[in-house]
Amino acid sequence: MKQDQVFDLICSLVDGDKQKIDIGFNRMISELGNTNGAYRLQRIYDSYKNNTGKLIELPQALKPFVCETYKEVSMDNLLLNDTIIEFLENIRKEWSYRKELREQGLTNSNRVLLVGPPGNGKTSFAIALAGYLGITPYIAITNELIDSHLGESEKNVINLIQNIPSQGLLFLDEFDTLGTSRTDDTASSGRAYNNIVNSLLMSLDRLPEDVVFVAATNRDDLLDSAVHRRFDVVLSFPDPTIEQKEMYVEKYMKRKAIQLPFDKEKIEQCTSYSDLEHEAVRLHKQCILSGLL
Ligand SMILES: Nc1ncnc2c1ncn2[C@@H]1O[C@H](COP(=O)(O)OP(=O)(O)OP(=O)(O)O)[C@@H](O)[C@H]1O
Ligand SMILES: [Mg+2]
């Protein structure tokens, strides 16, 4: 990347020249290609656009807890059931009316729990939801939030949830590792867990209306009932039915504009969308490698 481009972009940001800022960001992002740097810059640019001209980066102290890179997912590429489609329409509407709702003492639905067995789109959906609402996704590294030092984990949780830049979506995967039921255990490990859960409850109660909080778990039965109650919506991502599996296969071939020799029995044996994706990719590669495409 040329130094001139960096200086030009900084100057246009200082001048507030919107047209030059757009050109500068787009040029540098395309020049960085498929790299981590390009993803980071894209996120800064998205955050700039979403905050109508303010450059908002994640506070330095939160960076260790948030993934720098993630695979972009579009909602169009996911097979979703009617309940989820209805939820999407609703959350977008409430999001755009959030100020009016607040004026009437109401809040928009912005705490969403995704549950279901592995490989059926919880993570993909969370990332796609940010794109759908036109806001920046912040994907937490859940393990990093847990600190062996007493009191640090709950501080991390509170800091992260309360400091996500506005018009952002915070995604916490493997949420059961944080929000498991509180115990009567008076041993220090039990007490530490209870403190994390209490911090979660407090942070979720204070979530600003222009931040969306999405959590995912395979084990919602383990979640503390008070934590569970804090969510406005619980969306289920079950294993696909036979019809849905067939639809997935059709959609894959349509998207790639190819015909693949799927074996019906193999499709039925796939449990999740993730299994189906593996099978589709395997066949797709086989066709390329055998010169059929
Ligand atoms: N509903 C869906 N429609 C289309 N593709 C899907 C769907 N669900 C999952 N996939 C594909 O399967 C892969 C795995 O999905 P994803 O990681 O989102 O699942 P998950 O529910 O988060 O799994 P885990 O519980 O293991 O974290 C993704 O690459 C995605 O493209
Ligand atoms: Mg996941």
Side-chain angles (χ1 to χ4, degrees), residues 205-232:
D205 282 341
R206 295 179 184 170
L207 191 72
E209 70 270 11
D210 42 17
V211 169
V212 176
F213 177 78
V214 183
T217 176
N218 300 326
R219 295 295 313 268
D220 74 316
D221 55 311
L222 293 181
L223 288 189
D224 187 273
S225 57
V227 171
H228 215 288
R229 273 201 309 278
R230 289 308 189 277
F231 288 92
D232 301 305

Side-chain angles (χ1 to χ4, degrees), residues 19 29 32 47 69 103 107 121 123 127 146 187 193 234 247 267:
Q19 207 180 351
I29 290 164
L32 283 166
S47 142
T69 57
E103 278 161 20
T107 49
T123 302
I127 296 170
I146 312 258
Y193 243 121
V234 179
M247 270 163 70
I267 295 178

Side-chain angles (χ1 to χ4, degrees), residues 48-266:
Y48 160 81
K49 284 188 293 186
N50 291 336
N51 288 286
T52 46
K54 274 184 276 157
L55 246 191
I56 299 199
E57 250 259 80
L58 196 66
Q60 194 66 29
L62 298 185
K63 288 196 173 173
F65 306 122
V66 176
C67 281
E68 288 291 356
T69 57
Y70 54 87
K71 193 175 128 198
E72 290 279 354
V73 190
S74 157
M75 210 52 100
D76 295 338
N77 290 341
L78 297 176
L79 269 175
L80 303 169
N81 64 34
D82 292 346
T83 316
I84 297 180
I85 291 170
E86 202 178 303
F87 157 81
L88 282 173
E89 284 164 14
N90 203 44
I91 195 172
R92 183 141 74 181
K93 217 160 196 175
E94 288 200 16
W95 177 262
S96 58
Y97 278 91
R98 63 192 184 282
K99 289 201 176 68
E100 289 80 355
L101 288 169
R102 193 181 45 198
E103 278 161 20
Q104 298 284 322
L106 301 167
T107 49
N108 53 308
S109 303
N110 60 349
R111 293 169 295 189
V112 186
L113 179 63
L114 314 180
V115 302
N120 289 315
K122 298 181 298 298
T123 302
S124 310
F125 179 80
I127 296 170
L129 183 60
Y132 178 83
L133 294 173
I135 59 181
T136 311
Y138 297 95
I139 297 153
I141 310 168
T142 314
N143 288 344
E144 291 290 329
L145 290 167
I146 312 258
D147 194 301
S148 54
H149 296 100
L150 201 67
E152 285 304 309
S153 309
E154 50 265 40
K155 251 195 238 161
N156 293 341
V157 169
I158 294 178
N159 271 340
L160 182 65
I161 299 181
Q162 293 186 352
N163 290 299
I164 286 298
S166 66
Q167 304 217 358
L169 179 148
L170 172 61
F171 176 54
L172 261 173
D173 211 347
E174 295 170 43
F175 190 58
D176 45 284
T177 55
L178 293 175
T180 306
S181 286
R182 284 168 288 187
T183 64
D184 296 330
D185 189 356
T186 47
S188 62
S189 62
R191 282 204 309 271
Y193 243 121
N194 292 351
N195 289 341
I196 299 178
V197 171
N198 290 333
S199 314
L200 265 177
L201 293 175
M202 204 176 72
S203 311
L204 289 180
D205 282 341
R206 295 179 184 170
L207 191 72
E209 70 270 11
D210 42 17
V211 169
V212 176
F213 177 78
V214 183
T217 176
N218 300 326
R219 295 295 313 268
D220 74 316
D221 55 311
L222 293 181
L223 288 189
D224 187 273
S225 57
V227 171
H228 215 288
R229 273 201 309 278
R230 289 308 189 277
F231 288 92
D232 301 305
V233 189
V234 179
L235 296 176
S236 185
F237 288 73
D239 287 332
T241 59
I242 296 281
E243 291 76 31
Q244 286 167 328
K245 288 178 189 178
E246 281 165 3
M247 270 163 70
Y248 176 89
V249 166
E250 288 301 320
K251 201 169 171 170
Y252 183 94
M253 292 195 290
K254 201 168 167 200
R255 195 170 71 227
K256 304 282 180 184
I258 44 164
Q259 274 298 320
L260 294 173
F262 278 102
D263 174 347
K264 210 167 176 219
E265 223 172 275
K266 264 240 162 89

